[in-house]
Amino acid sequence: NQKRDLLELRHRQILARVEWLNQLNTQAMLVAGSAVASLGGESLQTIDDADLKKLALDTVFVGSTAATLCFSLWVIFISSNLIMLSQMTALTGTAAEDVKTADNILADKMAEVRSFYLLSLVMLLISALSMMWMNLTEINSLIATGIFLAISAHAILTLRDTSAEFKATTTFSGEDPILGHLHHAHEAITSATTAFLRATRLDSLPRLC
C-alpha cells in the first residue's frame, strides 16, 4: 500500500507539472504571435538608411524581435515534448523509483523552460521599446521608457517579496535560481531608472520601485 501511495503521489506531481507546462506553452504561443505581428508590421517601412540612429534602432528591433520569436518557439517545442514524455511516464510507469527519476528530470527541465520564457519576455520588452523609439517623438519615447523600466523593476521586486513571504509563512523552502538572476536584473533596472530620471530631470517624481 505504501508503494502504491508513493507511486500515485509521483503521478500527481508529474500531472501538476504537465499542467504548468501547458499553461506556459499557451503563453509562449501568444508571445510568438506578437513577435510575428511585429516583424510583419509597418515599423520597418519607415527606416531611412541615411539616419544612423534609426538604422541602429532598426537593428535592435529586428534582433530582439527575432530572439523573442526563437525563444518562444523553443519553449513551445521543448515543453510539448516534455509533456508527451511525462504523460507516457505517468501512464506506463510501474515503479515508484522510475517515476521519481522522471519527475526529477522534468523539474530540472522546467527551470530551463521557464528561463527561456522569461528571456522571450525580456526580448519582447526590448523590441517594444525600440519600436517606440523608431516611431514616437523623443519626449514620448522617454516617457514610455521610464514607465517600462519602473514597472519592470516593480514586478521583479514584487516577485522576490512574494517568494520570501511564502518561505516565511509556509513550509516551502525551495530555492528558485531564477529569482537570483531577477534580483540582479532588478538592481540593473533600478540603476538604469535612476540614471534615466536624472538625465531627464524627473528625479523629483515618486518612484515605483
Side-chain angles (χ1 to χ4, degrees), residues 89-153:
T89 302
L91 292 173
T92 62
T94 56
E97 189 62 31
D98 292 339
V99 179
K100 178 183 177 181
T101 301
D103 182 57
N104 291 336
I105 294 174
L106 183 59
D108 292 338
K109 293 300 180 181
M110 282 176 60
E112 189 174 1
V113 170
R114 185 184 174 200
S115 298
F116 272 81
Y117 174 69
L118 290 176
L119 280 174
S120 71
L121 293 181
V122 171
M123 291 296 104
L124 183 62
L125 176 63
I126 295 175
S127 172
L129 283 174
S130 59
M131 181 172 60
M132 286 188 298
W133 277 92
M134 285 191 299
N135 296 314
L136 300 180
T137 62
E138 185 171 348
I139 183 61
N140 288 336
S141 298
L142 287 172
I143 293 173
T145 301
I147 293 174
F148 270 57
L149 290 174
I151 298 301
S152 298

Side-chain angles (χ1 to χ4, degrees), residues 185-197:
H186 172 263
E187 293 179 344
I189 292 176
T190 302
S191 300
T193 304
T194 302
F196 169 81
L197 293 175

